[in-house]
Amino acid sequence: MSGNSEMSPRRPRLAVWKLASCDGCQLTLLDCEDELLAVAGAVDIAYFREATSAAVDGPYDLSLVEGSITTAADARRIREVRAATTTLVTIGACATAGGVQALRNLGDIDDFKKAVYARPEFISTLATSTPIRDHVPVDFELRGCPISKRQLLETLSAFLARRTPNVPTESVCLECKRRGNVCVLVAHGTPCLGPVTQAGCGAICPAFHRGCYGCFGPQDTVNAPPLLTELQQLGLSPPQLERLLRTFNAEAPAFRAAAESLGAGGEK
Amino acid sequence: MPEGISRQGVGDTGILSRNDFPSLFSALKGRGYRVVGPTVRDGAIVYGDLEGDADLPVGWTDRQEAGRYRLERRGDDALFGYNVGPHSWKKYLFPPHERLWTAHRKEESFEVTIEPNEAPPFAFLGVRACEVAAIEVQDRVFLGKYPDPGYRARRGRSLVIGVACGQAGATCFCTSMGTGPGLSEGYDLGITEILSPGPHRFLVRVGSPRGAELASDLPLTPAVTADHGRGKEIIERTAASMGRSMTTDGLRELMVDNLAHPRWEIVARRCLSCANCTLACPTCFCSTNEEMTALDATSAERWRRWDSCFNLGFTELHSAKVRSSGMSRYRQWLTHKLGTWHDQFGVSGCVGCGRCITWCPVGIDLTEEVAAIREPQGARPPPGGLA
Ligand code: SF4
Ligand code: SF4
Ligand code: SF4
């Protein structure tokens, strides 16, 4: 790219989609106050319900997808989005693991419907909440509940520069130690999921004396049993541990397996 | 001019009274140093900026075990009555995140600006003997054949004020590694804290010309035979109370000859691949570089951050993971640290500080692992050779 005539290529068209989710991850984009103008300058935001109601038809160069698949309509819609998109990036625990609503996968959907709605027969929903990659091919996943603004901007920059995003899949402990936090597990006896959780948040919770809740889902080499044994020695019962593992990423395979290994049989 | 010794030379000693200890801070600040050292934060003794002696962990100690650390009150007002905590001086010399350079797009090219190193010099106050040794181990890494400019700049300006340990922690084994508990060399000023008998005071020894200059700013009085005797006693007592030990005879061979020992699988079942051990270790030096591009593509930055052999991504070569099992990653760490480090840098990579034992969330203890590999069965060559 040199001459001026070639200097203004068409800006990539970005779409942001929402399925079953709370909007928190999409809001991370709007939350990029300082960088929002740069983002708006770099991409053509073609579809973004949270920011504007002006929908534009595809094709899209980049789609950010928030939310999980919980209805047949969602399952159809994601196929349409995929068909209209070159690079599809899922954002957040819902889109990458099914989200907290995937707790339904552990129970009976009809029981839930009856317990929550006055007229359960009007509710049309699938029995499960599943991540996007179970339905269509996904090019990149950004974890977190919600995602990190820093990682989102990094992913957008990487997409624009056609490089791989710097999004490590290592444990939270690395961020925790780099940040200089005192380990709450070792020094305070506070239960922490950091060793089995993927980095990305910047180890915020341990910095505020809280154990990691596992918002970013499993790190790439989870070895849960020794940590669970350690946490039991700190006084957590198997049902309490099961609850710890079954939150935003309950259905992420490594967390699901860890929870099942406890054999607590509770929290259905 | 204060009474006592006014001009100091390397090897000279003197006594600094507890009441005069603040003069060390004024001397350091007067010489433009940023004083960093032990301080209590979040239930541990970490390293941070120190304004004066009140910022030191006065009257605190630590109780450490494999996977466990607790602060406790001492019955006295010792300034250095504890051992090493989760931080090490490497966070200053080899920072966890460091921008190496920035590139700016020009008309037809780009311009690279190397990150300047203009930070004020550090005075490291309270460097334990094992830590002096650890800094020297990292010197071999960063100041060897391919010197690291940032490390070199920071290290060259830093002043090391060593402190001999007056007690050993339960995870300490510096005597086994030959690095402590007394200071032997590598410091500018060396301090032994004497709590009793007699008044609370510090036996100060000059270790370098820079240390001598600093000592000339301090109101030192001559150290008498009793002070030296007490200093020696303190170190002997500490050496006799090491919480851990490791037999180092033939350790390098033990490591490289036992790559198929069954113990690796056993320890791997407990290992979380969380990397805490390597980041807490004062000698581990692995890092990764990443390039960040700006959204508008007008600039890019290269950052370096601490990485670890326990990370799966770190073992990636040409898109294949060369150490995909937790077993192979733990084995890589220990055999490098205690074995092939000798081949690479001419020393052991372990100084016996015990951090990796204390700060491992599941309390994996390398001294135990080495002992298990030393068991007679492991000495035999494995059937079928190396896996
Ligand atoms: S506080 Fe949690 S995340 Fe941080 S090092 Fe300890 S176990 Fe890991
Ligand atoms: S390997 Fe462990 S004991 Fe040895 S220097 Fe590193 S942290 Fe200290
Ligand atoms: S040895 Fe301990 S600290 Fe090191 S990676 Fe394994 S579990 Fe983590």
Side-chain angles (χ1 to χ4, degrees):
Chain A
M1 249 195 286
S2 51
N4 246 344
S5 55
E6 290 166 89
M7 275 309 277
S8 22
R10 183 182 67 84
R11 283 178 304 158
R13 285 160 60 90
L14 169 75
V16 185
W17 309 93
K18 175 187 153 57
L19 299 160
S21 59
C22 77
D23 289 18
C25 290
Q26 299 190 51
L27 287 173
T28 304
L29 188 57
L30 294 183
D31 209 27
C32 297
E33 286 144 4
D34 297 339
E35 300 86 357
L36 205 51
L37 281 178
V39 172
V43 295
D44 172 15
I45 302 181
Y47 185 92
F48 189 5
R49 267 292 156 83
E50 198 65 51
T52 162
S53 52
V56 179
D57 289 339
Y60 304 102
D61 299 293
L62 175 64
S63 277
L64 300 177
V65 180
E66 176 197 274
S68 68
I69 304 295
T70 56
T71 65
D74 286 347
R76 276 194 304 276
R77 190 153 170 242
I78 194 60
R79 285 197 186 85
E80 288 163 20
V81 168
R82 177 72 264 190
T85 299
T86 309
T87 301
L88 189 148
V89 175
T90 51
I91 59 170
C94 300
T96 59
V100 72
Q101 60 273 27
L103 287 171
R104 69 162 68 173
N105 304 9
L106 301 162
D108 179 355
I109 192 67
D110 291 324
D111 290 349
F112 288 137
K113 279 199 271 191
K114 271 182 243 156
V116 175
Y117 298 100
R119 304 288 300 272
E121 65 273 22
F122 289 162
I123 304 299
S124 158
T125 185
L126 298 173
T128 55
S129 168
T130 45
I132 303 302
R133 75 166 170 277
D134 286 5
H135 300 265
V136 295
V138 169
D139 299 299
F140 195 72
E141 293 191 323
L142 264 191
R143 302 272 197 84
C145 185
I147 54 168
S148 118
K149 167 178 145 177
R150 184 178 46 81
Q151 287 197 334
L152 176 63
L153 288 168
E154 163 59 13
T155 303
L156 290 175
S157 310
F159 165 78
L160 291 165
R162 294 189 187 140
R163 60 176 174 85
T164 310
N166 291 306
V167 175
T169 52
E170 65 203 21
S171 79
V172 174
C173 298
L174 280 115
E175 289 187 314
C176 199
K177 281 277 180 293
R178 287 190 204 110
R179 185 173 176 153
N181 288 346
V182 170
C183 175
V184 301
L185 188 55
V186 169
H188 309 167
T190 301
C192 182
L193 288 182
V196 293
T197 302
Q198 180 171 308
C201 61
I204 306 172
C205 290
F208 292 95
H209 305 176
R210 307 294 296 264
C212 165
Y213 293 96
C215 309
F216 277 62
Q219 61 130 317
D220 56 15
T221 52
V222 168
N223 182 13
L227 182 67
L228 299 180
T229 306
E230 191 64 30
L231 298 183
Q232 289 193 46
Q233 278 159 13
L234 290 177
L236 290 196
S237 64
Q240 284 173 316
L241 278 172
E242 199 183 63
R243 216 167 316 163
L244 195 60
L245 288 160
R246 284 183 175 162
T247 58
F248 327 99
N249 291 286
E251 282 288 276
F255 280 6
R256 184 179 55 210
E260 283 167 359
S261 78
L262 290 159
E267 303 303 307
K268 286 276 169 178
Chain B
M1 168 148 318
E3 23 168 330
I5 306 162
S6 55
R7 310 208 60 167
Q8 294 278 342
V10 174
D12 286 352
T13 55
I15 290 290
L16 184 67
S17 74
R18 169 63 185 94
N19 287 343
D20 285 333
F21 196 80
S23 66
L24 180 58
F25 283 92
S26 9
L28 290 169
K29 287 186 183 162
R31 288 174 181 273
Y33 286 104
R34 174 180 163 196
V35 187
V36 292
T39 193
V40 172
R41 200 198 76 204
D42 299 335
I45 294 167
V46 299
Y47 294 152
D49 285 276
L50 303 177
E51 284 308 314
D53 55 353
D55 289 338
L56 288 167
V58 183
W60 285 103
T61 194
D62 48 20
R63 189 174 292 276
Q64 307 195 28
E65 248 318 322
R68 192 184 153 89
Y69 179 102
R70 291 293 183 275
L71 276 189
E72 281 177 12
R73 275 281 172 201
R74 291 172 60 95
D76 56 31
D77 287 328
L79 304 191
F80 299 103
Y82 39 85
N83 295 101
V84 296
H87 291 182
S88 77
W89 309 97
K90 87 172 174 186
K91 75 170 190 169
Y92 297 112
L93 294 171
F94 165 48
H97 292 109
E98 187 181 10
R99 183 165 52 206
L100 301 178
W101 50 253
T102 309
H104 290 279
R105 190 190 282 274
K106 299 275 164 214
E107 279 291 307
E108 298 281 331
S109 65
F110 60 92
E111 193 178 271
V112 174
T113 315
I114 306 281
E115 196 67 11
N117 281 294
E118 287 148 356
F122 290 115
F124 298 142
L125 174 58
V127 185
R128 306 303 174 132
C130 63
E131 301 186 296
V132 172
I135 293 172
E136 289 182 338
V137 170
Q138 284 213 330
D139 284 351
R140 290 172 185 251
V141 176
F142 291 114
L143 302 177
K145 202 163 160 204
Y146 306 103
D148 180 77
Y151 183 96
R152 184 169 52 190
R154 291 182 290 265
R155 174 74 166 113
R157 290 196 297 258
S158 304
L159 192 80
V160 174
I161 302 176
V163 169
C165 285
Q167 63 186 64
T171 57
C172 290
F173 58 104
C174 62
T175 40
S176 302
M177 305 316 288
T179 59
L183 297 158
S184 53
E185 52 190 12
Y187 59 88
D188 296 296
L189 221 53
I191 294 177
T192 305
E193 180 170 33
I194 302 176
L195 293 159
S196 66
H200 187 177
R201 62 200 187 279
F202 303 88
L203 174 61
V204 178
R205 182 183 296 274
V206 173
S208 76
R210 273 200 299 180
E213 281 175 30
L214 184 68
S216 65
D217 293 351
L218 304 176
L220 296 176
T221 56
V224 298
T225 317
D227 297 321
H228 289 295
R230 185 66 187 132
K232 201 161 157 269
E233 249 170 54
I234 288 171
I235 289 160
E236 282 165 5
R237 189 190 58 198
T238 304
S241 65
M242 288 290 137
R244 293 284 197 280
S245 70
M246 191 194 282
T247 309
T248 55
D249 297 338
L251 194 49
R252 182 200 163 274
E253 287 64 37
L254 185 76
M255 289 293 114
V256 301
D257 294 344
N258 281 291
L259 298 181
H261 197 286
R263 184 69 188 191
W264 300 119
E265 285 293 353
I266 297 171
V267 64
R269 284 203 284 274
R270 294 172 60 209
C271 176
L272 306 168
S273 279
C274 65
N276 275 299
C277 48
T278 46
L279 270 55
C281 177
T283 69
C284 276
F285 59 85
C286 286
S287 65
T288 195
N289 286 330
E290 55 190 25
E291 268 89 45
M292 320 288 269
T293 43
L295 278 167
D296 61 4
T298 55
S299 65
E301 295 178 347
R302 172 174 283 190
W303 284 79
R304 178 169 74 183
R305 61 180 158 80
W306 288 354
D307 206 334
S308 168
C309 52
F310 282 91
N311 282 347
L312 190 59
F314 189 71
T315 80
E316 202 166 272
L317 282 183
H318 300 291
S319 77
K321 274 125 182 150
V322 296
R323 286 187 287 272
S324 54
S325 68
M327 187 284 283
S328 61
R329 292 193 299 276
Y330 186 89
R331 184 181 61 184
Q332 160 63 26
W333 177 63
L334 202 66
T335 56
H336 184 218
K337 182 107 323 202
L338 302 175
T340 51
W341 206 292
H342 286 279
D343 308 49
Q344 204 179 357
F345 301 111
V347 283
S348 163
C350 176
V351 298
C353 73
R355 284 182 179 86
C356 58
I357 308 173
T358 299
W359 298 97
C360 171
V362 293
I364 291 175
D365 176 348
L366 79 169
T367 65
E368 226 174 85
E369 298 312 311
V370 167
I373 292 169
R374 253 188 215 290
E375 296 272 294
Q377 53 167 31
R380 289 198 304 271
L386 301 182

